[in-house]
Amino acid sequence: KSLQVIKFYDLVTIYIATFMYKFHNKLLPIAFHSFFTSVTNIHNYNTILAAKKSYYLLFVRTNYAKFNIRFQDPSIWNSIDNDIKLSSIAMFKTKMQVH
């Protein structure tokens, strides 16, 4: 921390979160627009996850599947605070480095 160097795992998490931010705000190419499913598309009633603008996590049985982009990206996005999710992309990256 004193050298202000980010660990590799944290750096990967920041890049995944940035990808999900771009997906959520439709800043990615059209090919990615149906890549993940929002919790609000699964059911119509309001839940805590729906209010937090979360994404549906696929059911996986193996550790190999847990590292797949379809599972890992929504799980990281769902763990981020709402005030960070609502920031601009520059502030999002800065807040993620601090978070």
Side-chain angles (χ1 to χ4, degrees):
K1 285 188 174 184
S2 63
L3 297 175
Q4 296 180 346
V5 176
I6 300 174
K7 296 178 192 174
F8 181 74
Y9 177 77
D10 296 336
L11 189 63
V12 170
T13 303
I14 290 170
Y15 279 109
I16 289 172
T18 304
F19 178 82
M20 284 301 293
Y21 177 88
K22 290 178 181 179
F23 173 80
H24 183 73
N25 292 306
K26 297 187 182 355
L27 300 173
L28 293 174
I30 295 173
F32 290 107
H33 283 195
S34 62
F35 213 62
F36 304 106
T37 306
S38 177
V39 171
T40 56
N41 292 341
I42 300 296
H43 50 72
N44 293 331
Y45 46 90
N46 196 12
T47 62
I48 292 172
L49 288 177
K52 290 177 64 176
K53 299 177 181 153
S54 298
Y55 286 93
Y56 179 71
L57 289 174
L58 299 173
F59 176 74
V60 294
R61 294 182 300 166
T62 63
N63 283 336
Y64 179 76
K66 286 183 182 178
F67 291 104
N68 188 335
I69 190 171
R70 299 252 183 178
F71 180 83
Q72 192 172 21
D73 287 14
S75 64
I76 289 173
W77 178 259
N78 294 348
S79 68
I80 298 172
D81 295 334
N82 262 354
D83 61 326
I84 297 174
K85 290 179 186 177
L86 298 175
S87 306
S88 67
I89 191 156
M91 286 301 297
F92 178 81
K93 291 178 182 179
T94 304
K95 288 180 180 181
M96 282 302 298
Q97 288 179 359
V98 172
H99 179 65

